[in-house]
Amino acid sequence: MRILFYLPAVTPWWFDQVIEPLIRRVAPVADVHVLAPAPWQNTGIGPDQLQRCADLDRVQWSIVDDSDHPSLRSAPTEPGAVIAFVRTLAPDLVLCRSADLDTPRQFPGIVRHVMEAVIAPFDLGARTNMVHFTDAPFVQGRMPTLSPADAVRLEAMIAPFWEDMQAHWATVVPDRAAVYRAYGVPLDRPVVLLPLEYAHAENFYRQHRPASLSDEALVAHAAALADAAGVTLVVTDHPLNALHADRVALHAAVAALGTPILADPTTLALPPTLALLRHADGALLGDSKTFGIAAAFGTPMARLSRFESAPWLHMEQDLPRFFAAVAAGTAARPDTSAARRWFGYHYAEQALHPTDPALDGAGIIARATSPLDPARWPESLRLLERYAAPEELAA
């Protein structure tokens, strides 16, 4: 089998924690090629990444370093040249880390995008580098039709994890009044949470945001709709933005608007998005994995996205209608049984840990080429950690 890693949007962290371990495992059982641009905007492959793989002498590297290589991150100036080159390689499987989705669609072989798989409110411990393979990034909540027997088996397998998780957060997160007081949220109006996504320049996936709204524009738009509906808008920021992004303009914009509340992440010893979604009346999302928290807690959602949402999520796309429904208490909630089943499917079938000693090259290839195999469910779920029982937490 010939495998191509196509990596225009790979960052150094992604390469070290995800891609290099995958390459290392499949190299003994496949003919491996890597196609990536030279470093730019903290993406691409340079000497440090090549040095990490210096012992993998069978891997073939093709590094694009001409003056046009930055365009590979978003929309190649000459996509035909890239497509033609990949066709000469004739890969059986292509594993992509690419924010440009159109070009890989024209590659031969099975094409899969490598995407983040750790989705709260489940705890994966230190396994923050878990990933899954998908034919379409940012598709939320999709799962295949299972046989009745497999559906029953999956429900039984996820049940203890689900029950532990729900009991854990019911114990750890304070009640609505306490959480709202901590963040300065009034108790007299419904609340919609707007969690912002990673805004650093290295995140080229943001190019798919509808209408290319800046965070400041998005907050202003949502705040106007919330005010008109009699709803309080609360904003949480992605934790990496505090470390890597300039948020001066955002903070100034929120202060100027007056009505939205920007939650201080240091207020409680909990992630603010998770704590607030335990009690919020709605969530306004884009392509964030936060949908998983809202789905697990039964929070109504609206989504601004170009990508698919599973019907069981009951995602609203008409924002004025969503805010009005939240205000009236009639906003549709995600289906609880489907949410439980989807989390079971995601962690039993989709998520994999690239540095798991039990994962070999054949297993990686099987995950990418055979996306449904109930035989691997028990082994996969062993990575999903159990929460302590509530009485243990209180002790």
Side-chain angles (χ1 to χ4, degrees):
M1 169 172 276
R2 178 167 294 174
I3 299 176
L4 170 65
F5 286 82
Y6 181 62
L7 308 172
V10 72
T11 63
W13 185 93
W14 259 85
F15 188 88
D16 294 351
Q17 299 296 321
V18 176
I19 301 300
E20 185 263 351
L22 293 177
I23 292 174
R24 188 166 294 279
R25 280 160 173 74
V26 299
V29 297
D31 176 16
V32 177
H33 293 252
V34 180
L35 173 59
W40 181 73
Q41 292 278 40
N42 204 41
T43 56
I45 289 181
D48 290 345
Q49 289 73 44
L50 293 173
Q51 183 58 40
R52 286 183 67 93
C53 298
D55 60 311
L56 301 176
D57 51 11
R58 294 179 55 212
V59 175
Q60 301 296 308
W61 301 84
S62 299
I63 307 301
V64 181
D65 60 0
D66 61 22
S67 61
D68 195 46
H69 77 78
S71 75
L72 294 183
R73 278 77 173 180
S74 50
T77 305
E78 298 290 342
V82 177
I83 296 164
F85 177 75
V86 173
R87 286 177 176 168
T88 64
L89 294 178
D92 302 292
L93 172 64
V94 183
L95 296 178
C96 301
R97 188 64 182 166
S98 173
D100 162 34
L101 308 182
D102 292 334
T103 303
R105 285 192 189 105
Q106 301 177 67
F107 291 169
I110 297 171
V111 178
R112 298 285 186 261
H113 292 265
V114 187
M115 304 301 291
E116 299 92 335
V118 176
I119 298 183
F122 279 87
D123 181 17
L124 274 297
R127 301 182 185 93
T128 58
N129 62 337
M130 289 188 75
V131 295
H132 70 107
F133 303 137
T134 177
D135 58 350
F138 306 117
V139 172
Q140 295 184 348
R142 183 176 68 183
M143 53 185 158
T145 300
L146 301 174
S147 71
D150 283 340
V152 169
R153 177 170 175 251
L154 186 60
E155 291 262 6
M157 292 175 71
I158 195 63
F161 298 101
W162 181 267
E163 292 161 6
D164 279 359
M165 178 273 292
Q166 294 288 0
H168 172 78
W169 293 119
T171 302
V172 170
V173 178
D175 63 28
R176 180 186 180 103
V179 169
Y180 282 15
R181 277 197 306 271
Y183 291 111
V185 179
L187 289 165
D188 59 343
R189 301 205 307 177
V191 170
V192 167
L193 183 70
L194 170 56
L196 299 176
E197 299 175 33
Y198 187 35
H200 193 273
E202 73 182 23
N203 183 12
F204 289 93
Y205 292 95
R206 282 169 56 87
Q207 71 189 25
H208 300 294
R209 171 176 284 183
S212 299
L213 283 177
S214 67
D215 284 340
E216 294 79 17
L218 176 59
V219 171
H221 180 54
L225 294 173
D227 288 344
V231 170
T232 297
L233 181 71
V234 181
V235 180
T236 56
D237 205 3
H238 192 288
L240 289 180
N241 286 334
L243 299 175
H244 304 303
D246 182 353
R247 302 309 261 169
V248 172
L250 172 68
H251 289 206
V254 172
L257 288 168
T259 53
I261 295 167
L262 183 59
D264 183 346
T266 65
T267 298
L268 296 175
L270 290 167
T273 298
L274 190 149
L276 286 159
L277 277 179
R278 277 283 302 168
H279 303 298
D281 303 284
L284 173 54
L285 307 175
D287 295 326
S288 169
K289 294 178 295 172
T290 301
F291 86 92
I293 305 176
F297 293 158
T299 307
M301 290 173 274
R303 187 183 185 196
L304 292 173
S305 177
R306 298 173 179 171
F307 300 98
E308 175 192 347
S309 302
W312 66 265
L313 290 165
H314 297 148
M315 289 281 194
E316 179 61 82
Q317 294 179 306
D318 184 307
L319 294 193
R321 185 167 61 199
F322 176 70
F323 279 98
V326 168
T330 59
R333 297 181 181 276
D335 182 278
T336 301
S337 62
R340 184 173 56 246
R341 193 179 314 116
W342 180 82
F343 271 104
Y345 165 72
H346 178 69
Y347 282 115
E349 185 64 66
Q350 290 188 300
L352 62 88
H353 187 219
T355 53
D356 181 1
L359 183 68
D360 60 13
I364 292 167
I365 294 169
R367 289 296 187 99
T369 57
S370 304
L372 184 62
D373 182 3
R376 59 180 168 237
W377 292 354
E379 180 67 15
S380 299
L381 280 178
R382 70 178 175 79
L383 297 178
L384 190 58
E385 298 183 0
R386 295 288 297 270
Y387 283 93
E391 59 269 24
E392 294 175 76
L393 291 167

